[in-house]
Amino acid sequence: MRKILLIVACVLSYCAVSQAQGGMWVPSLIEERVKDMQSKGLKISAGDIYATDKASYKDAVVLFGGGCTGEMVSSEGLMLTNHHCGFSVLQKHSSVEHDYLKDGFWAMNRDEELPNPGLTVKFLVRMDDVTDKVFAGTEGLSASEAESIKRSNIEKVIQETVGGTHYEADVKTLYYGNQYYIYVYEVFEDVRIVGAPPSSIGKFGGETDNWMWPRHTGDFMYFRVYAGKDNKPAPYSKDNVPYKPKKYFNISTGGIGEGDFTMVYGYPARTQQYLFSSGVDDVLSHSNPAKIKLRTMRLEEIQRARKSDPAIRIAYSYKEASIANAWKKWQGESLGLERLKTIAKKEAYEKSFEEWAYTKPEYKDVVSSLRAQYDSIHDYSLAWDYLREAIFAIELVQVMRIADKWIESPSEAIPQKLSDFYGDYYPEIDKKIAKKLLAEYMGKIPQRFIPDEVAEDIKTANGVDAYVDMLFQSSSFVSADRLASAIAQKQDLTKDPAVVFYFAFANMFNNAVRGKIIKYDANIEALQKTFVRGQKAFDADNKTGRVFFPDANHTLRVSYGSVSGYSPEDAVWYMPISTLEGIIAKDNPQEYEFNIPQKLRDIHASSDYGRWSVNGTVPVCFIANNHTSGGNSGSPVLNGKGELIGINFDRTWTGTMSDIEFDPEICRNISLDIRYVLFVTEKIGGAGYLIDEMNIVHSKAK
């Protein structure tokens, strides 16, 4: 008993520390947190943050392009987000002749703004708890029967909510199926690029500085949202007018300092704060190491190739950034989980939970059952990781996924999506990558996850390298010209060797992996639902004071904290604000990632900072202890008055385990100081007219 009490004491101490900061709070329930927020510096009310009967700050925040966050900053539809969020659409407008990635882009009037077919922004209209409606009629049913009823109920709830309107809706679960919310959105599809700094500012430091502090990246882009003359969503048209938002943010240039209140309002994608210990072990010991190694192989070839040709650099810029972002994040995440001993802490918590649950039938077996399900899914999850990061990461294979059913009955015209793909495709680079990835897959994955026909073909070809050479030499999908020729000759594309290769793995996945993952994931989800509910009861019984918040699921959330330096290692302390002096110190014309525009060098040499000068320099970025995740990129960072002081764009590398365990001592979100945004806009872009659109507030939040 004494040993059990010691474990419980340790666990309770851990819970108390972990709740010192952190949390991603549901906006419609923010009233429950607002007193704590106000004690830390918030000056506005819960109704200012979220309301449905009046304009509130939720109406100034958008889900940008399905992956990032953006914020409205003027009454004329002007919006800010991250440069890396808009990078892919800017790339589509770029060429060697008009290299907007390298040189930047600034529309000097609205006629010059660049439209982007397919790009949308979503405004949240409201969110409502529909748990009772979703669970209606499921009492006493088996899990599979209940799931079918819930799916039907969800469809009914969506139809009742938005049927006959121009709104869209989505129902998502909180707390692993214990709660359901419906989210109603107004979706705008005419979104145009207004301004972007050159990549030497917008991506300054590149992958070298990614996830690191101190940071000096001017990670921002301007867009403008357009609407029909009735201010409602409308397809792109020259007759559309700038959208008049219900709310937009005032811009604070009063400055920030250590300890100042900060609030991040955005769309974090995914956290796993309640992940079972076995799940953490899979991440740390198996999944992350495999994915890191496979992405390293891809990055090495891309980086070698892009140095040889500006056209390759443009074509692979977004691909490289996309591959490298998670690659580096996983490395920091693994180091953080090891440092925090997260697995051991979770195992101790689970053991004490089991002792508590011994006399409670509802929770008695949940820990042992979860452990068994993770043991069962392990091999299939690892195979899926290798399929995604090795086989399906080969671009020639991705062509099959783009072409889809067109392969079976091809028309004379190549689909637009395929044409777009070939515009940025270099088969020689892909072939080198394919050889490495396929060899790694064949050497690390059990035989039952290798299609027999592929294994036989590799054996016949005398090895992976020769087999891949044959694949690229023979396939019509290697180039648009070859594909057009094959279509003209009425070749059966289903027999193309690359198609055969793709479907061999796709069929293997569908027959041997997919069903098992669905089965075990469903079991884990059902058990996790019970476990999370049990944790609430366990912590209440033990009076831990632990405050629960739902894991992020790419819905609108609020996190709050303060500007704060930190110590990532012994004898090291990082200040919370970086400046232009750091950019100049890193500047290196010989290194693409650190070669700043000459204009910025000239401005620094003459100290021509104008109204953006602060103590003889210009502030660039700052860090705070807000709990953020992927999807928070582009989120507005607000002071206590609800004024925009920055744009969130990253986390510190040593704190990327915050998706699984948030450590208030070391987890920091990185934001771009709004004053640097305005400085670059005026001094580098010559687009001061954009600043004139905004409502600038010069006083600092008290």
Side-chain angles (χ1 to χ4, degrees):
M1 177 60 70
R2 183 181 180 189
K3 183 177 180 182
I4 293 169
L5 290 175
L6 285 171
I7 291 172
V8 171
C10 176
V11 169
L12 301 192
S13 173
Y14 159 57
C15 289
V17 171
S18 69
Q19 292 304 314
Q21 291 284 354
M24 296 178 174
W25 310 101
V26 177
S28 64
L29 303 177
I30 202 64
E31 183 69 53
E32 300 171 4
R33 302 298 307 170
V34 79
K35 284 187 178 179
D36 186 59
M37 296 171 74
Q38 289 171 341
S39 73
K40 293 176 169 59
L42 182 70
K43 307 297 182 185
I44 57 179
S45 69
D48 293 324
I49 296 171
Y50 178 91
T52 57
D53 59 348
K54 66 174 185 177
S56 63
Y57 286 122
K58 79 165 174 57
D59 300 308
V61 182
V62 301
L63 179 59
F64 176 82
C68 289
T69 305
E71 54 271 6
M72 307 306 295
V73 292
S74 88
S75 62
E76 294 295 309
L78 191 64
M79 188 199 82
L80 276 168
T81 189
N82 285 155
H83 185 273
H84 77 260
C85 293
F87 192 82
S88 62
V89 292
L90 186 65
Q91 181 191 19
K92 291 177 182 178
H93 291 285
S94 298
S95 63
V96 174
E97 294 77 21
H98 299 285
D99 191 348
Y100 298 139
L101 300 181
K102 178 177 178 291
D103 302 326
F105 169 82
W106 300 94
M108 290 299 124
N109 57 65
R110 292 182 185 173
D111 289 338
E112 294 180 358
E113 295 173 355
L114 302 175
N116 304 281
L119 179 62
T120 64
V121 297
K122 294 184 178 182
F123 291 84
L124 180 67
V125 178
R126 68 179 190 277
M127 55 181 294
D128 297 311
D129 189 331
V130 292
T131 306
D132 291 343
K133 292 181 178 180
V134 171
F135 279 109
T138 63
E139 297 82 0
L141 298 181
S142 67
S144 60
E145 291 171 331
E147 193 60 36
S148 177
I149 296 295
K150 284 191 290 183
R151 283 197 298 268
S152 177
N153 288 343
I154 287 171
E155 291 177 7
K156 183 179 178 182
V157 167
I158 290 174
Q159 181 60 31
E160 289 176 348
T161 303
V162 300
T165 74
H166 70 283
Y167 297 123
E168 293 183 4
D170 191 15
V171 172
K172 290 197 174 185
T173 181
L174 305 180
Y175 297 115
Y176 293 88
N178 284 292
Q179 223 175 346
Y180 285 85
Y181 269 77
I182 189 167
Y183 300 83
V184 180
Y185 297 99
E186 190 169 37
V187 184
F188 289 79
E189 52 189 305
D190 187 353
V191 185
R192 308 179 194 179
I193 300 174
V194 176
S199 291
S200 52
I201 289 177
K203 283 177 62 67
F204 180 77
E207 296 311 319
T208 302
D209 273 8
N210 192 19
W211 300 103
M212 307 303 288
W213 184 258
R215 198 70 175 276
H216 301 88
T217 309
D219 197 350
F220 74 94
M221 277 184 69
Y222 289 98
F223 289 80
R224 195 181 302 279
V225 181
Y226 279 79
K229 289 184 169 58
D230 58 358
N231 208 39
K232 294 288 194 298
Y236 170 79
S237 170
K238 291 183 179 180
D239 295 328
N240 285 347
V241 296
Y243 171 63
K244 303 285 186 184
K246 298 175 185 175
K247 192 82 171 177
Y248 60 90
F249 290 110
N250 291 335
I251 311 296
S252 172
T253 59
I256 54 173
E258 179 85 38
D260 285 356
F261 177 86
T262 54
M263 181 174 84
V264 175
Y265 207 172
Y267 286 86
R270 184 171 184 253
T271 58
Q272 297 175 287
Q273 299 293 306
Y274 309 105
L275 185 63
F276 192 69
S277 60
S278 299
V280 180
D281 183 58
D282 275 347
V283 168
L284 184 57
S285 305
H286 305 284
S287 181
N288 277 3
K291 293 186 294 188
I292 289 165
K293 185 175 183 180
L294 290 165
R295 290 205 174 193
T296 299
M297 294 174 177
R298 295 162 70 189
L299 287 169
E300 286 173 347
E301 292 300 332
I302 290 172
Q303 289 167 355
R304 188 177 296 116
R306 60 127 158 110
K307 292 177 181 178
S308 66
D309 187 335
I312 294 177
R313 174 181 56 77
I314 293 172
Y316 276 81
S317 289
Y318 181 68
K319 296 176 188 178
E320 180 183 359
S322 297
I323 295 166
N325 191 52
W327 167 79
K328 195 167 185 177
K329 184 255 186 182
W330 292 326
Q331 295 174 63
E333 179 179 71
S334 293
L335 290 171
L337 292 172
E338 289 174 348
R339 181 182 61 81
L340 291 175
K341 297 179 173 58
T342 301
I343 295 173
K345 285 189 284 191
K346 283 184 175 286
E347 287 175 340
Y349 181 90
E350 289 155 12
K351 183 172 183 178
S352 61
F353 179 93
E354 277 191 296
E355 295 289 343
W356 168 85
Y358 185 74
T359 59
K360 298 172 176 60
E362 182 181 4
Y363 306 121
K364 181 179 179 181
D365 298 321
V366 69
V367 169
S368 59
S369 297
L370 273 167
R371 192 175 296 117
Q373 292 301 314
Y374 273 104
D375 287 344
S376 298
I377 201 174
H378 171 78
D379 285 354
Y380 300 100
S381 292
L382 192 61
W384 181 219
D385 280 338
Y386 269 89
L387 280 166
R388 283 180 297 182
E389 295 293 333
I391 305 304
F392 298 148
I394 298 168
E395 289 187 88
L396 186 59
V397 173
Q398 292 172 13
V399 176
M400 309 307 139
R401 309 185 85 176
I402 295 170
D404 198 26
K405 294 188 180 299
W406 178 83
I407 293 172
E408 299 172 8
S409 54
S411 58
E412 292 184 6
I414 296 176
Q416 186 60 47
K417 284 185 178 180
L418 273 183
S419 295
D420 292 343
F421 168 84
Y422 288 118
D424 291 331
Y425 181 56
Y426 286 76
E428 284 303 313
I429 300 172
D430 192 31
K431 182 166 69 173
K432 292 176 181 177
I433 291 172
K435 289 179 178 179
K436 290 184 175 182
L437 296 183
L438 183 57
E440 184 69 12
Y441 185 95
M442 298 296 291
K444 292 294 172 65
I445 290 300
Q447 188 70 36
R448 69 182 188 275
F449 299 127
I450 299 173
D452 291 339
E453 56 266 53
V454 173
E456 186 62 33
D457 287 345
I458 290 174
K459 182 179 179 182
T460 301
N462 293 318
V464 168
D465 282 5
Y467 171 73
V468 172
D469 283 335
M470 178 278 297
L471 209 61
F472 278 77
Q473 183 178 351
S474 305
S475 176
S476 298
F477 285 88
V478 167
S479 72
D481 289 342
R482 273 205 217 172
L483 187 55
S485 176
I487 295 169
Q489 297 173 34
K490 301 190 182 303
Q491 292 180 13
D492 184 354
L493 296 182
T494 63
K495 295 181 179 178
D496 185 277
V499 175
V500 172
F501 177 83
Y502 165 70
F503 278 108
F505 279 99
N507 291 335
M508 183 277 296
F509 168 72
N510 287 328
N511 295 329
V513 179
R514 185 173 180 271
K516 296 290 187 181
I517 288 178
I518 291 173
K519 173 186 173 182
Y520 295 126
D521 268 346
N523 294 343
I524 289 170
E525 190 78 9
L527 290 165
Q528 191 72 27
K529 175 183 176 182
T530 302
F531 187 41
V532 169
R533 188 168 63 247
Q535 286 182 59
K536 290 184 177 182
F538 169 72
D539 283 77
D541 280 359
N542 288 283
K543 298 179 173 60
T544 66
R546 183 182 183 188
V547 180
F548 287 81
F549 63 91
D551 271 325
N553 59 356
H554 221 188
T555 58
L556 192 60
R557 299 293 180 88
V558 173
S559 69
Y560 61 96
S562 59
V563 176
S564 178
Y566 77 113
S567 177
E569 54 188 292
D570 183 49
V572 173
W573 178 261
Y574 281 129
M575 303 295 287
I577 299 170
S578 66
T579 70
L580 182 58
E581 305 313 306
I583 294 177
I584 299 303
K586 291 178 178 179
D587 178 31
N588 184 351
Q590 306 307 313
E591 291 288 337
Y592 176 73
E593 292 180 328
F594 295 96
N595 182 15
I596 64 173
Q598 184 59 44
K599 191 171 184 179
L600 186 56
R601 295 188 187 103
D602 295 341
I603 290 171
H604 177 264
S606 63
S607 299
D608 181 23
Y609 308 140
R611 51 181 163 165
W612 314 114
S613 178
V614 178
N615 298 323
T617 187
V618 180
V620 176
C621 297
F622 63 92
I623 51 174
N625 53 18
N626 297 85
H627 195 171
T628 61
S629 183
N632 273 126
S633 291
S635 294
V637 185
L638 311 175
N639 63 17
K641 293 181 178 179
E643 299 160 346
L644 188 68
I645 56 173
I647 308 172
N648 185 82
F649 71 92
D650 209 352
R651 285 173 283 170
T652 53
W653 192 54
T654 51
T656 53
M657 74 292 176
S658 61
D659 287 345
I660 295 173
E661 181 180 352
F662 185 87
D663 178 6
E665 296 301 318
I666 205 166
C667 290
R668 295 292 182 270
N669 64 303
I670 306 176
S671 302
L672 180 62
D673 194 304
I674 197 64
R675 292 169 292 179
Y676 188 60
V677 173
L678 302 178
F679 164 77
V680 172
T681 301
E682 181 178 70
K683 292 291 188 176
I684 302 296
Y689 79 94
L690 294 175
I691 300 172
D692 295 338
E693 277 192 44
M694 305 176 202
N695 188 24
I696 306 294
V697 179
H698 299 290
S699 61
K700 181 178 178 179
K702 299 293 186 181

